[in-house]
Amino acid sequence: MNRATPSPKHRDLVLRLIAFEAIADGVPGSNPPAAFRVVEKLRVPLSRMAGRVAFQALLTAALRQTKARVPDFQGVQINGEGLLEGGSGIANQDRMAEAGVLLISQLLGLLTELIGEAMTLKILFAVWPDFTVLPKEAERVINHEPAK
C-alpha cells in the first residue's frame, strides 16, 4: 500500500468505523470528533501490545502523513497520554472529517504493514465487538480463507 494514498479497502473500513463510533456515541459532530475517539479506543490495546512509545510513534507517523496532505490539520497534536487534541481551528467540517479518515487509514496501514491484516482486523473487532458491517475481504482474512 502506498502510505500517501490509503487503499480503497482501508478507506471503506475506516469510514464504517467512524460512522459506527458516531452512531454508538449518539451525538453526531460531538467533541472530540468520532475519528479522534476511534484513535483513542485503539490506543489502549495497541499500547498494551507494543508499548505506549511504539503506539505514539505509529500515530506520529500517521499524523505527519495526514498533515502533509491536509494542511488545515496542522493544529492537531498528540498529547503526553497519546491522545489527539486540537483541530478546533478547522472551520470546514467536511475537511476535518476527511482528515480524520485519512489519519486512521494511515494508522491502520502502518499497523497492517507491521503485524499483518488479520491481526489488525482482530484488534479492531476486539475493540468494537458489535461492529458487524464487514467487507467480504475482511471476513475472508479474519477466517483465514484463501483468496478467490
Side-chain angles (χ1 to χ4, degrees):
M1 174 179 99
N2 175 352
R3 284 187 262 158
T5 305
S7 72
K9 181 171 53 175
H10 272 122
R11 182 175 168 70
D12 180 58
L13 181 63
V14 169
L15 286 169
R16 292 168 188 243
L17 273 176
I18 291 171
F20 184 81
E21 185 62 32
I23 290 168
D25 183 52
V27 184
S30 66
N31 201 8
F36 283 26
R37 291 192 312 274
V38 168
V39 172
E40 183 177 336
K41 287 185 176 181
L42 286 171
R43 179 181 59 89
V44 174
L46 294 178
S47 293
R48 264 191 226 128
M49 181 179 77
R52 184 179 58 83
V53 172
F55 169 74
Q56 286 186 344
L58 280 175
L59 184 55
T60 297
L63 184 58
R64 183 175 29 251
Q65 292 166 359
T66 302
K67 286 178 177 183
R69 301 230 356 237
V70 185
D72 294 348
F73 219 56
Q74 294 301 324
V76 176
Q77 302 298 323
I78 303 167
N79 69 18
E81 298 295 315
L83 300 172
L84 294 170
E85 53 186 31
S88 58
I90 302 174
N92 184 328
Q93 290 304 308
D94 290 338
R95 191 92 167 132
M96 179 65 166
E98 184 57 35
V101 170
L102 181 59
L103 174 68
I104 297 167
S105 296
Q106 300 292 0
L107 180 61
L108 293 181
L110 291 167
L111 187 61
T112 299
E113 286 180 22
L114 289 173
I115 65 173
E117 188 171 28
M119 187 65 161
T120 299
L121 290 171
K122 284 183 181 187
I123 290 168
L124 293 178
F125 297 113
V127 173
W128 292 277
D130 296 329
F131 183 69
T132 57
V133 185
L134 283 175
K136 292 295 179 193
E137 181 68 13
E139 289 178 30
R140 183 192 64 72
V141 170
I142 287 175
N143 296 323
H144 302 288
E145 297 170 0
K148 296 181 181 183

